[in-house]
PDB file of all heavy atoms in Angstrom:
ATOM      1  N   ILE A 145     137.603  69.280 101.162  1.00  0.00           N
ATOM      2  CA  ILE A 145     137.094  68.388 102.196  1.00  0.00           C
ATOM      3  C   ILE A 145     136.969  69.213 103.466  1.00  0.00           C
ATOM      4  O   ILE A 145     137.854  70.006 103.782  1.00  0.00           O
ATOM      5  CB  ILE A 145     138.067  67.219 102.450  1.00  0.00           C
ATOM      6  CG1 ILE A 145     138.173  66.333 101.220  1.00  0.00           C
ATOM      7  CG2 ILE A 145     137.645  66.416 103.662  1.00  0.00           C
ATOM      8  CD1 ILE A 145     139.215  65.250 101.353  1.00  0.00           C
ATOM      9  N   VAL A 146     135.890  69.021 104.195  1.00  0.00           N
ATOM     10  CA  VAL A 146     135.706  69.707 105.471  1.00  0.00           C
ATOM     11  C   VAL A 146     136.044  68.718 106.584  1.00  0.00           C
ATOM     12  O   VAL A 146     135.517  67.613 106.616  1.00  0.00           O
ATOM     13  CB  VAL A 146     134.261  70.218 105.634  1.00  0.00           C
ATOM     14  CG1 VAL A 146     134.054  70.817 107.011  1.00  0.00           C
ATOM     15  CG2 VAL A 146     133.942  71.231 104.547  1.00  0.00           C
ATOM     16  N   LEU A 147     136.942  69.117 107.465  1.00  0.00           N
ATOM     17  CA  LEU A 147     137.335  68.290 108.595  1.00  0.00           C
ATOM     18  C   LEU A 147     137.033  69.054 109.876  1.00  0.00           C
ATOM     19  O   LEU A 147     137.540  70.152 110.090  1.00  0.00           O
ATOM     20  CB  LEU A 147     138.834  67.962 108.511  1.00  0.00           C
ATOM     21  CG  LEU A 147     139.418  67.101 109.627  1.00  0.00           C
ATOM     22  CD1 LEU A 147     138.747  65.732 109.668  1.00  0.00           C
ATOM     23  CD2 LEU A 147     140.924  66.949 109.433  1.00  0.00           C
ATOM     24  N   LEU A 148     136.152  68.502 110.693  1.00  0.00           N
ATOM     25  CA  LEU A 148     135.811  69.119 111.976  1.00  0.00           C
ATOM     26  C   LEU A 148     136.833  68.695 113.018  1.00  0.00           C
ATOM     27  O   LEU A 148     137.133  67.509 113.138  1.00  0.00           O
ATOM     28  CB  LEU A 148     134.417  68.689 112.424  1.00  0.00           C
ATOM     29  CG  LEU A 148     133.263  69.019 111.481  1.00  0.00           C
ATOM     30  CD1 LEU A 148     131.971  68.423 112.006  1.00  0.00           C
ATOM     31  CD2 LEU A 148     133.134  70.512 111.304  1.00  0.00           C
ATOM     32  N   ILE A 149     137.362  69.666 113.737  1.00  0.00           N
ATOM     33  CA  ILE A 149     138.353  69.370 114.776  1.00  0.00           C
ATOM     34  C   ILE A 149     137.922  70.026 116.077  1.00  0.00           C
ATOM     35  O   ILE A 149     137.137  70.970 116.086  1.00  0.00           O
ATOM     36  CB  ILE A 149     139.770  69.857 114.374  1.00  0.00           C
ATOM     37  CG1 ILE A 149     139.781  71.361 114.126  1.00  0.00           C
ATOM     38  CG2 ILE A 149     140.267  69.114 113.147  1.00  0.00           C
ATOM     39  CD1 ILE A 149     141.152  71.942 113.867  1.00  0.00           C
ATOM     40  N   ASP A 150     138.436  69.507 117.185  1.00  0.00           N
ATOM     41  CA  ASP A 150     138.117  70.129 118.463  1.00  0.00           C
ATOM     42  C   ASP A 150     139.044  71.316 118.691  1.00  0.00           C
ATOM     43  O   ASP A 150     139.874  71.644 117.850  1.00  0.00           O
ATOM     44  CB  ASP A 150     138.172  69.125 119.609  1.00  0.00           C
ATOM     45  CG  ASP A 150     139.515  68.441 119.727  1.00  0.00           C
ATOM     46  OD1 ASP A 150     140.489  68.913 119.124  1.00  0.00           O
ATOM     47  OD2 ASP A 150     139.588  67.428 120.428  1.00  0.00           O
ATOM     48  N   SER A 151     138.915  71.965 119.806  1.00  0.00           N
ATOM     49  CA  SER A 151     139.670  73.194 120.067  1.00  0.00           C
ATOM     50  C   SER A 151     140.927  72.965 120.902  1.00  0.00           C
ATOM     51  O   SER A 151     141.331  73.826 121.665  1.00  0.00           O
ATOM     52  CB  SER A 151     138.765  74.213 120.758  1.00  0.00           C
ATOM     53  OG  SER A 151     137.747  74.612 119.880  1.00  0.00           O
ATOM     54  N   VAL A 152     141.550  71.825 120.739  1.00  0.00           N
ATOM     55  CA  VAL A 152     142.800  71.552 121.442  1.00  0.00           C
ATOM     56  C   VAL A 152     143.866  72.509 120.923  1.00  0.00           C
ATOM     57  O   VAL A 152     143.942  72.785 119.726  1.00  0.00           O
ATOM     58  CB  VAL A 152     143.228  70.079 121.229  1.00  0.00           C
ATOM     59  CG1 VAL A 152     144.582  69.797 121.830  1.00  0.00           C
ATOM     60  CG2 VAL A 152     142.185  69.154 121.779  1.00  0.00           C
ATOM     61  N   SER A 153     144.690  73.025 121.813  1.00  0.00           N
ATOM     62  CA  SER A 153     145.677  74.037 121.415  1.00  0.00           C
ATOM     63  C   SER A 153     146.643  73.534 120.354  1.00  0.00           C
ATOM     64  O   SER A 153     147.150  74.324 119.559  1.00  0.00           O
ATOM     65  CB  SER A 153     146.445  74.524 122.645  1.00  0.00           C
ATOM     66  OG  SER A 153     147.144  73.451 123.249  1.00  0.00           O
ATOM     67  N   SER A 154     146.909  72.230 120.290  1.00  0.00           N
ATOM     68  CA  SER A 154     147.834  71.711 119.270  1.00  0.00           C
ATOM     69  C   SER A 154     147.254  71.806 117.866  1.00  0.00           C
ATOM     70  O   SER A 154     147.971  71.693 116.882  1.00  0.00           O
ATOM     71  CB  SER A 154     148.208  70.262 119.581  1.00  0.00           C
ATOM     72  OG  SER A 154     147.073  69.427 119.510  1.00  0.00           O
ATOM     73  N   HIS A 155     145.959  72.032 117.755  1.00  0.00           N
ATOM     74  CA  HIS A 155     145.316  72.159 116.451  1.00  0.00           C
ATOM     75  C   HIS A 155     145.302  73.595 115.951  1.00  0.00           C
ATOM     76  O   HIS A 155     144.672  73.885 114.952  1.00  0.00           O
ATOM     77  CB  HIS A 155     143.877  71.640 116.518  1.00  0.00           C
ATOM     78  CG  HIS A 155     143.765  70.192 116.844  1.00  0.00           C
ATOM     79  ND1 HIS A 155     142.576  69.619 117.201  1.00  0.00           N
ATOM     80  CD2 HIS A 155     144.684  69.201 116.877  1.00  0.00           C
ATOM     81  CE1 HIS A 155     142.766  68.331 117.436  1.00  0.00           C
ATOM     82  NE2 HIS A 155     144.041  68.057 117.246  1.00  0.00           N
ATOM     83  N   VAL A 156     145.988  74.487 116.632  1.00  0.00           N
ATOM     84  CA  VAL A 156     145.926  75.900 116.298  1.00  0.00           C
ATOM     85  C   VAL A 156     147.246  76.395 115.706  1.00  0.00           C
ATOM     86  O   VAL A 156     147.585  77.537 115.794  1.00  0.00           O
ATOM     87  CB  VAL A 156     145.540  76.738 117.540  1.00  0.00           C
ATOM     88  CG1 VAL A 156     145.241  78.181 117.158  1.00  0.00           C
ATOM     89  CG2 VAL A 156     144.325  76.152 118.222  1.00  0.00           C
ATOM     90  N   SER A 157     148.014  75.529 115.109  1.00  0.00           N
ATOM     91  CA  SER A 157     149.265  75.920 114.483  1.00  0.00           C
ATOM     92  C   SER A 157     148.968  76.511 113.110  1.00  0.00           C
ATOM     93  O   SER A 157     148.356  75.858 112.258  1.00  0.00           O
ATOM     94  CB  SER A 157     150.183  74.710 114.338  1.00  0.00           C
ATOM     95  OG  SER A 157     151.229  74.989 113.449  1.00  0.00           O
ATOM     96  N   MET A 158     149.409  77.734 112.881  1.00  0.00           N
ATOM     97  CA  MET A 158     149.148  78.396 111.610  1.00  0.00           C
ATOM     98  C   MET A 158     149.775  77.629 110.443  1.00  0.00           C
ATOM     99  O   MET A 158     149.170  77.511 109.379  1.00  0.00           O
ATOM    100  CB  MET A 158     149.659  79.836 111.648  1.00  0.00           C
ATOM    101  CG  MET A 158     149.177  80.641 110.488  1.00  0.00           C
ATOM    102  SD  MET A 158     147.383  80.586 110.385  1.00  0.00           S
ATOM    103  CE  MET A 158     147.002  82.272 110.393  1.00  0.00           C
ATOM    104  N   SER A 159     150.964  77.062 110.657  1.00  0.00           N
ATOM    105  CA  SER A 159     151.616  76.335 109.568  1.00  0.00           C
ATOM    106  C   SER A 159     150.819  75.082 109.184  1.00  0.00           C
ATOM    107  O   SER A 159     150.690  74.765 108.005  1.00  0.00           O
ATOM    108  CB  SER A 159     153.052  75.952 109.952  1.00  0.00           C
ATOM    109  OG  SER A 159     153.054  75.078 111.057  1.00  0.00           O
ATOM    110  N   VAL A 160     150.250  74.386 110.172  1.00  0.00           N
ATOM    111  CA  VAL A 160     149.451  73.198 109.879  1.00  0.00           C
ATOM    112  C   VAL A 160     148.141  73.603 109.205  1.00  0.00           C
ATOM    113  O   VAL A 160     147.705  72.956 108.242  1.00  0.00           O
ATOM    114  CB  VAL A 160     149.183  72.374 111.153  1.00  0.00           C
ATOM    115  CG1 VAL A 160     148.264  71.200 110.852  1.00  0.00           C
ATOM    116  CG2 VAL A 160     150.481  71.878 111.761  1.00  0.00           C
ATOM    117  N   LEU A 161     147.524  74.679 109.667  1.00  0.00           N
ATOM    118  CA  LEU A 161     146.286  75.152 109.049  1.00  0.00           C
ATOM    119  C   LEU A 161     146.513  75.543 107.586  1.00  0.00           C
ATOM    120  O   LEU A 161     145.716  75.207 106.711  1.00  0.00           O
ATOM    121  CB  LEU A 161     145.711  76.329 109.828  1.00  0.00           C
ATOM    122  CG  LEU A 161     145.273  76.031 111.267  1.00  0.00           C
ATOM    123  CD1 LEU A 161     144.855  77.319 111.978  1.00  0.00           C
ATOM    124  CD2 LEU A 161     144.170  75.016 111.309  1.00  0.00           C
ATOM    125  N   GLU A 162     147.618  76.224 107.324  1.00  0.00           N
ATOM    126  CA  GLU A 162     147.949  76.619 105.947  1.00  0.00           C
ATOM    127  C   GLU A 162     148.258  75.405 105.083  1.00  0.00           C
ATOM    128  O   GLU A 162     147.872  75.344 103.917  1.00  0.00           O
ATOM    129  CB  GLU A 162     149.114  77.600 105.949  1.00  0.00           C
ATOM    130  CG  GLU A 162     148.749  78.958 106.495  1.00  0.00           C
ATOM    131  CD  GLU A 162     149.949  79.877 106.671  1.00  0.00           C
ATOM    132  OE1 GLU A 162     151.104  79.408 106.573  1.00  0.00           O
ATOM    133  OE2 GLU A 162     149.725  81.076 106.924  1.00  0.00           O
ATOM    134  N   ASP A 163     148.968  74.428 105.653  1.00  0.00           N
ATOM    135  CA  ASP A 163     149.291  73.203 104.923  1.00  0.00           C
ATOM    136  C   ASP A 163     148.014  72.455 104.547  1.00  0.00           C
ATOM    137  O   ASP A 163     147.863  71.998 103.409  1.00  0.00           O
ATOM    138  CB  ASP A 163     150.208  72.316 105.775  1.00  0.00           C
ATOM    139  CG  ASP A 163     150.624  71.054 105.060  1.00  0.00           C
ATOM    140  OD1 ASP A 163     151.031  71.132 103.880  1.00  0.00           O
ATOM    141  OD2 ASP A 163     150.542  69.973 105.681  1.00  0.00           O
ATOM    142  N   ALA A 164     147.088  72.345 105.485  1.00  0.00           N
ATOM    143  CA  ALA A 164     145.823  71.666 105.209  1.00  0.00           C
ATOM    144  C   ALA A 164     145.063  72.396 104.111  1.00  0.00           C
ATOM    145  O   ALA A 164     144.550  71.771 103.180  1.00  0.00           O
ATOM    146  CB  ALA A 164     144.988  71.584 106.482  1.00  0.00           C
ATOM    147  N   LYS A 165     145.010  73.711 104.200  1.00  0.00           N
ATOM    148  CA  LYS A 165     144.282  74.497 103.200  1.00  0.00           C
ATOM    149  C   LYS A 165     144.896  74.312 101.809  1.00  0.00           C
ATOM    150  O   LYS A 165     144.181  74.191 100.824  1.00  0.00           O
ATOM    151  CB  LYS A 165     144.268  75.964 103.579  1.00  0.00           C
ATOM    152  CG  LYS A 165     143.397  76.802 102.661  1.00  0.00           C
ATOM    153  CD  LYS A 165     142.956  78.060 103.355  1.00  0.00           C
ATOM    154  CE  LYS A 165     142.019  78.857 102.504  1.00  0.00           C
ATOM    155  NZ  LYS A 165     140.648  78.401 102.588  1.00  0.00           N
ATOM    156  N   SER A 166     146.226  74.249 101.743  1.00  0.00           N
ATOM    157  CA  SER A 166     146.889  74.061 100.448  1.00  0.00           C
ATOM    158  C   SER A 166     146.575  72.689  99.850  1.00  0.00           C
ATOM    159  O   SER A 166     146.672  72.502  98.640  1.00  0.00           O
ATOM    160  CB  SER A 166     148.403  74.242 100.587  1.00  0.00           C
ATOM    161  OG  SER A 166     148.983  73.135 101.253  1.00  0.00           O
ATOM    162  N   LYS A 167     146.194  71.744 100.691  1.00  0.00           N
ATOM    163  CA  LYS A 167     145.837  70.397 100.229  1.00  0.00           C
ATOM    164  C   LYS A 167     144.339  70.271  99.964  1.00  0.00           C
ATOM    165  O   LYS A 167     143.851  69.191  99.657  1.00  0.00           O
ATOM    166  CB  LYS A 167     146.261  69.365 101.279  1.00  0.00           C
ATOM    167  CG  LYS A 167     147.760  69.280 101.427  1.00  0.00           C
ATOM    168  CD  LYS A 167     148.146  68.337 102.535  1.00  0.00           C
ATOM    169  CE  LYS A 167     149.675  68.325 102.595  1.00  0.00           C
ATOM    170  NZ  LYS A 167     150.194  67.423 103.579  1.00  0.00           N
ATOM    171  N   GLY A 168     143.596  71.361 100.115  1.00  0.00           N
ATOM    172  CA  GLY A 168     142.163  71.331  99.877  1.00  0.00           C
ATOM    173  C   GLY A 168     141.368  70.805 101.056  1.00  0.00           C
ATOM    174  O   GLY A 168     140.242  70.347 100.896  1.00  0.00           O
ATOM    175  N   ILE A 169     141.963  70.869 102.251  1.00  0.00           N
ATOM    176  CA  ILE A 169     141.290  70.413 103.470  1.00  0.00           C
ATOM    177  C   ILE A 169     140.918  71.648 104.280  1.00  0.00           C
ATOM    178  O   ILE A 169     141.785  72.390 104.729  1.00  0.00           O
ATOM    179  CB  ILE A 169     142.204  69.488 104.301  1.00  0.00           C
ATOM    180  CG1 ILE A 169     142.637  68.279 103.476  1.00  0.00           C
ATOM    181  CG2 ILE A 169     141.495  69.064 105.579  1.00  0.00           C
ATOM    182  CD1 ILE A 169     143.726  67.452 104.126  1.00  0.00           C
ATOM    183  N   GLU A 170     139.630  71.866 104.426  1.00  0.00           N
ATOM    184  CA  GLU A 170     139.139  73.001 105.207  1.00  0.00           C
ATOM    185  C   GLU A 170     138.923  72.544 106.640  1.00  0.00           C
ATOM    186  O   GLU A 170     138.139  71.619 106.894  1.00  0.00           O
ATOM    187  CB  GLU A 170     137.829  73.531 104.631  1.00  0.00           C
ATOM    188  CG  GLU A 170     137.934  74.050 103.210  1.00  0.00           C
ATOM    189  CD  GLU A 170     138.706  75.351 103.122  1.00  0.00           C
ATOM    190  OE1 GLU A 170     138.754  76.091 104.121  1.00  0.00           O
ATOM    191  OE2 GLU A 170     139.243  75.633 102.039  1.00  0.00           O
ATOM    192  N   LEU A 171     139.626  73.134 107.579  1.00  0.00           N
ATOM    193  CA  LEU A 171     139.502  72.773 108.988  1.00  0.00           C
ATOM    194  C   LEU A 171     138.543  73.730 109.680  1.00  0.00           C
ATOM    195  O   LEU A 171     138.675  74.947 109.566  1.00  0.00           O
ATOM    196  CB  LEU A 171     140.872  72.834 109.678  1.00  0.00           C
ATOM    197  CG  LEU A 171     141.947  71.912 109.113  1.00  0.00           C
ATOM    198  CD1 LEU A 171     143.275  72.154 109.827  1.00  0.00           C
ATOM    199  CD2 LEU A 171     141.537  70.466 109.252  1.00  0.00           C
ATOM    200  N   TYR A 172     137.573  73.170 110.365  1.00  0.00           N
ATOM    201  CA  TYR A 172     136.626  73.961 111.142  1.00  0.00           C
ATOM    202  C   TYR A 172     136.681  73.499 112.582  1.00  0.00           C
ATOM    203  O   TYR A 172     136.479  72.320 112.869  1.00  0.00           O
ATOM    204  CB  TYR A 172     135.197  73.833 110.598  1.00  0.00           C
ATOM    205  CG  TYR A 172     135.008  74.590 109.310  1.00  0.00           C
ATOM    206  CD1 TYR A 172     135.149  73.955 108.095  1.00  0.00           C
ATOM    207  CD2 TYR A 172     134.717  75.943 109.332  1.00  0.00           C
ATOM    208  CE1 TYR A 172     135.001  74.653 106.902  1.00  0.00           C
ATOM    209  CE2 TYR A 172     134.559  76.647 108.156  1.00  0.00           C
ATOM    210  CZ  TYR A 172     134.710  75.992 106.942  1.00  0.00           C
ATOM    211  OH  TYR A 172     134.568  76.686 105.778  1.00  0.00           O
ATOM    212  N   ARG A 173     136.978  74.438 113.471  1.00  0.00           N
ATOM    213  CA  ARG A 173     137.077  74.117 114.897  1.00  0.00           C
ATOM    214  C   ARG A 173     135.709  74.177 115.547  1.00  0.00           C
ATOM    215  O   ARG A 173     134.942  75.102 115.326  1.00  0.00           O
ATOM    216  CB  ARG A 173     138.018  75.100 115.590  1.00  0.00           C
ATOM    217  CG  ARG A 173     139.453  74.932 115.141  1.00  0.00           C
ATOM    218  CD  ARG A 173     140.368  75.969 115.719  1.00  0.00           C
ATOM    219  NE  ARG A 173     140.325  75.937 117.172  1.00  0.00           N
ATOM    220  CZ  ARG A 173     140.699  76.939 117.942  1.00  0.00           C
ATOM    221  NH1 ARG A 173     141.150  78.047 117.407  1.00  0.00           N
ATOM    222  NH2 ARG A 173     140.642  76.842 119.247  1.00  0.00           N
ATOM    223  N   LEU A 174     135.439  73.168 116.360  1.00  0.00           N
ATOM    224  CA  LEU A 174     134.204  73.180 117.150  1.00  0.00           C
ATOM    225  C   LEU A 174     134.376  74.143 118.314  1.00  0.00           C
ATOM    226  O   LEU A 174     135.489  74.380 118.782  1.00  0.00           O
ATOM    227  CB  LEU A 174     133.914  71.783 117.697  1.00  0.00           C
ATOM    228  CG  LEU A 174     133.658  70.693 116.662  1.00  0.00           C
ATOM    229  CD1 LEU A 174     133.506  69.354 117.358  1.00  0.00           C
ATOM    230  CD2 LEU A 174     132.421  71.021 115.856  1.00  0.00           C
ATOM    231  N   VAL A 175     133.276  74.673 118.778  1.00  0.00           N
ATOM    232  CA  VAL A 175     133.287  75.551 119.939  1.00  0.00           C
ATOM    233  C   VAL A 175     133.810  74.750 121.136  1.00  0.00           C
ATOM    234  O   VAL A 175     133.445  73.581 121.304  1.00  0.00           O
ATOM    235  CB  VAL A 175     131.859  76.066 120.214  1.00  0.00           C
ATOM    236  CG1 VAL A 175     131.826  76.940 121.436  1.00  0.00           C
ATOM    237  CG2 VAL A 175     131.320  76.793 119.009  1.00  0.00           C
ATOM    238  N   PRO A 176     134.664  75.338 121.972  1.00  0.00           N
ATOM    239  CA  PRO A 176     135.148  74.601 123.150  1.00  0.00           C
ATOM    240  C   PRO A 176     133.999  74.055 123.996  1.00  0.00           C
ATOM    241  O   PRO A 176     132.960  74.700 124.148  1.00  0.00           O
ATOM    242  CB  PRO A 176     135.934  75.661 123.928  1.00  0.00           C
ATOM    243  CG  PRO A 176     136.329  76.670 122.922  1.00  0.00           C
ATOM    244  CD  PRO A 176     135.219  76.686 121.904  1.00  0.00           C
ATOM    245  N   ASN A 177     134.199  72.868 124.503  1.00  0.00           N
ATOM    246  CA  ASN A 177     133.226  72.186 125.370  1.00  0.00           C
ATOM    247  C   ASN A 177     131.910  71.875 124.675  1.00  0.00           C
ATOM    248  O   ASN A 177     130.882  71.751 125.323  1.00  0.00           O
ATOM    249  CB  ASN A 177     132.969  72.994 126.646  1.00  0.00           C
ATOM    250  CG  ASN A 177     134.228  73.244 127.416  1.00  0.00           C
ATOM    251  OD1 ASN A 177     135.055  72.340 127.568  1.00  0.00           O
ATOM    252  ND2 ASN A 177     134.414  74.451 127.894  1.00  0.00           N
ATOM    253  N   ALA A 178     131.923  71.762 123.355  1.00  0.00           N
ATOM    254  CA  ALA A 178     130.698  71.430 122.627  1.00  0.00           C
ATOM    255  C   ALA A 178     130.826  70.122 121.859  1.00  0.00           C
ATOM    256  O   ALA A 178     129.937  69.782 121.083  1.00  0.00           O
ATOM    257  CB  ALA A 178     130.351  72.556 121.658  1.00  0.00           C
ATOM    258  N   THR A 179     131.908  69.389 122.072  1.00  0.00           N
ATOM    259  CA  THR A 179     132.121  68.144 121.349  1.00  0.00           C
ATOM    260  C   THR A 179     130.957  67.180 121.577  1.00  0.00           C
ATOM    261  O   THR A 179     130.540  66.471 120.662  1.00  0.00           O
ATOM    262  CB  THR A 179     133.437  67.485 121.791  1.00  0.00           C
ATOM    263  OG1 THR A 179     134.482  68.441 121.675  1.00  0.00           O
ATOM    264  CG2 THR A 179     133.778  66.299 120.920  1.00  0.00           C
ATOM    265  N   HIS A 180     130.414  67.154 122.786  1.00  0.00           N
ATOM    266  CA  HIS A 180     129.311  66.240 123.088  1.00  0.00           C
ATOM    267  C   HIS A 180     128.075  66.511 122.219  1.00  0.00           C
ATOM    268  O   HIS A 180     127.278  65.614 121.974  1.00  0.00           O
ATOM    269  CB  HIS A 180     128.939  66.315 124.570  1.00  0.00           C
ATOM    270  CG  HIS A 180     128.339  67.615 124.972  1.00  0.00           C
ATOM    271  ND1 HIS A 180     129.097  68.762 125.179  1.00  0.00           N
ATOM    272  CD2 HIS A 180     127.052  67.964 125.191  1.00  0.00           C
ATOM    273  CE1 HIS A 180     128.280  69.750 125.517  1.00  0.00           C
ATOM    274  NE2 HIS A 180     127.052  69.292 125.537  1.00  0.00           N
ATOM    275  N   LEU A 181     127.947  67.740 121.729  1.00  0.00           N
ATOM    276  CA  LEU A 181     126.812  68.053 120.864  1.00  0.00           C
ATOM    277  C   LEU A 181     126.970  67.402 119.495  1.00  0.00           C
ATOM    278  O   LEU A 181     125.995  67.040 118.850  1.00  0.00           O
ATOM    279  CB  LEU A 181     126.663  69.567 120.704  1.00  0.00           C
ATOM    280  CG  LEU A 181     126.370  70.343 121.985  1.00  0.00           C
ATOM    281  CD1 LEU A 181     126.437  71.833 121.717  1.00  0.00           C
ATOM    282  CD2 LEU A 181     125.024  69.949 122.558  1.00  0.00           C
ATOM    283  N   MET A 182     128.225  67.271 119.061  1.00  0.00           N
ATOM    284  CA  MET A 182     128.507  66.677 117.759  1.00  0.00           C
ATOM    285  C   MET A 182     128.702  65.161 117.846  1.00  0.00           C
ATOM    286  O   MET A 182     128.662  64.476 116.846  1.00  0.00           O
ATOM    287  CB  MET A 182     129.762  67.313 117.161  1.00  0.00           C
ATOM    288  CG  MET A 182     129.660  68.812 116.958  1.00  0.00           C
ATOM    289  SD  MET A 182     128.405  69.255 115.759  1.00  0.00           S
ATOM    290  CE  MET A 182     129.213  68.764 114.265  1.00  0.00           C
TER     291      MET A 182
END
C-alpha cells in the first residue's frame, strides 16, 4: 500500500518507517510546502 505523508518531522522516525515497510506500507513523503498541490 502506498501512503502519502507530509514532511512533518514526527514522520521521519526510522523505527516507524521500518515498521510500516515490514507491514507492506510504503511511505512516500511529499515535498515540503507542496501539500496544496496534492
Side-chain angles (χ1 to χ4, degrees):
I145 295 174
V146 175
L147 180 61
L148 301 175
I149 59 174
D150 57 15
S151 294
V152 174
S153 61
S154 64
H155 297 167
V156 190
S157 165
M158 192 55 125
S159 63
V160 176
L161 296 174
E162 289 172 349
D163 182 47
K165 186 157 184 83
S166 73
K167 294 176 180 182
I169 302 170
E170 298 289 335
L171 300 176
Y172 286 95
R173 292 175 58 200
L174 297 175
V175 178
N177 302 317
T179 307
H180 67 282
L181 298 172
M182 300 296 287

